[in-house]
Amino acid sequence: MDLRDLRYFETIAELQHLGRAAERLHRSQPALTSSIRRLEADCGAALFEKSGRGIRLTEAGRVLLKWARRMRFDVEDARRELGTLGAGLSGHVRLGIVPTAAQFLLPEVARQLLEEAPGVTLHTAVGLIDTLGPRLRAGELDLMVATLLSPEPGFRSHALAEDLIVVAASEHHEIHQVRPALRLADLDGHAWALQPPGAPTRDWLDHTFERHGLPRPHVQVETTMLLMLPALIARTRLLSFISRHHLQGPNRVPGLKEVPVLEAQMRRRLVVTSREDAFLSPAAQRLLDLFVSAAQTA
């Protein structure tokens, strides 16, 4: 099998459309059709079938896609490992990281890495795990710092820190005058600033209200910019659901105060994750080690 044919096959399988794949790959549709026919001849089976206006993988196609990705990873890792021979701590590291860890863990870790290895370049993609996870799986990231989810084959994770997500508001918010220890029902009727549905913290909060027989929080401001929330709620009469890191220590946001509601405290673990069989350059391995060391001394 030709590696170029397999690369074309991956793109066609991702887009499920020959025309869009041709546009992305800058190849003609007949050239891609010939590529697929060569692979089907090698496999002895059809790889795609029609589906509406597009195409979809057959069972044989799904099997080949798994192995095509694995072969691509192996070739890319071989090139990267060969490129690091004798280079020491240098090269390019691709890191995916969730916003909280980017704000509270990354600056010190990056400082140490760049002091030790001035020749390293670091590309960081800040996002939520639903976008970072597929990029790690696809080999677009070397490391991911995110929330620990259910164990998944093919990945290796190292524990970093525990993070507590709590309700917070401006220190002048009237909610602080209700009583010292609040109940979840005391939050009903207030306006919130939250991430959109699908974000783990938003879904957890919505389901917590429902489990207690309460309507979901009334969201007046919805944003994907998690790092904007602390400054926003410090200047408004909105409640939010954010990391306790924003409320204590040297990085606390002035004007914020926790709203103590025991039923609305979400505990999560941050981990650094890599693909289990992937090659990690010395620089990427050193970055991983620095994250673990920083968490142990925090």
Side-chain angles (χ1 to χ4, degrees):
M1 291 184 185
D2 185 85
L3 289 175
R4 183 177 299 176
D5 286 344
L6 289 172
R7 181 168 63 86
Y8 294 164
F9 167 71
E10 276 195 76
T11 302
I12 298 167
E14 176 193 346
L15 299 176
Q16 299 185 57
H17 194 280
L18 203 60
R20 289 196 289 270
E23 290 178 7
R24 178 183 293 186
L25 294 167
H26 305 292
R27 302 290 293 176
S28 68
Q29 290 193 40
L32 296 186
T33 300
S34 296
S35 175
I36 294 303
R37 285 175 178 166
R38 286 193 294 269
L39 290 175
E40 289 179 332
D42 287 337
C43 295
L47 300 176
F48 292 99
E49 59 188 5
K50 289 185 177 181
S51 176
R53 295 184 177 180
I55 55 178
R56 64 184 177 189
L57 290 169
T58 62
E59 184 177 357
R62 287 191 292 272
V63 172
L64 180 61
L65 180 61
K66 177 185 69 173
W67 288 101
R69 284 173 173 163
R70 186 173 298 182
M71 283 187 278
R72 174 170 59 84
F73 291 157
D74 288 344
V75 170
E76 290 173 355
D77 285 348
R79 287 174 177 162
R80 295 177 63 212
E81 186 167 0
L82 288 168
T84 63
L85 290 177
L89 287 179
S90 63
H92 188 60
V93 182
R94 305 164 300 172
L95 172 70
I97 189 166
V98 294
T100 300
Q103 186 170 1
F104 296 106
L105 292 179
L106 181 58
E108 177 60 20
V109 169
R111 181 193 66 79
Q112 293 181 60
L113 177 66
L114 297 179
E115 279 188 1
E116 292 182 21
V120 167
T121 57
L122 179 62
H123 174 78
T124 61
V126 179
L128 300 180
I129 192 168
D130 60 340
T131 59
L132 298 178
R135 294 190 62 185
L136 180 66
R137 191 176 298 109
E140 297 173 7
L141 299 172
D142 301 309
L143 300 171
M144 177 180 71
V145 177
T147 309
L148 177 66
L149 295 179
S150 302
E152 186 174 343
F155 293 92
R156 181 188 295 111
S157 294
H158 303 267
L160 294 181
E162 192 168 78
D163 191 23
L164 197 65
I165 312 300
V166 298
V167 180
S170 163
E171 60 187 8
H172 304 297
H173 198 291
E174 60 271 14
I175 192 71
H176 300 299
Q177 302 172 10
V178 177
R179 59 173 66 87
L182 294 134
R183 301 186 302 254
L184 197 65
D186 293 320
L187 306 180
D188 186 28
H190 290 280
W192 293 71
L194 294 172
Q195 294 175 273
T201 55
R202 170 67 182 275
D203 291 347
W204 187 93
L205 190 66
D206 284 347
H207 296 154
T208 297
F209 272 71
E210 289 181 339
R211 283 197 306 271
H212 285 79
L214 298 168
R216 293 186 173 193
H218 166 58
V219 181
Q220 191 168 8
V221 175
E222 191 171 87
T223 178
T224 58
M225 291 186 62
L226 184 60
L227 297 179
M228 181 187 79
L229 287 176
L232 174 68
I233 62 175
R235 292 166 173 78
T236 64
R237 289 291 187 269
L238 301 173
L239 304 181
S240 195
F241 197 49
I242 60 175
S243 170
R244 189 177 271 174
H245 284 294
H246 294 289
L247 307 170
Q248 59 188 19
N251 295 308
R252 71 177 301 273
V253 177
L256 280 185
K257 185 177 178 181
E258 182 176 343
V259 181
V261 182
L262 190 60
E263 303 101 321
Q265 293 183 353
M266 175 185 170
R267 197 173 300 274
R268 63 182 184 179
R269 290 177 60 198
L270 293 175
V271 297
V272 57
T273 301
S274 60
R275 288 189 291 119
E276 194 167 31
D277 297 325
F279 166 72
L280 280 183
S281 69
Q285 183 61 55
R286 183 57 183 150
L287 181 62
L288 187 155
D289 294 340
L290 287 171
F291 270 115
V292 173
S293 298
Q296 290 173 347
T297 58

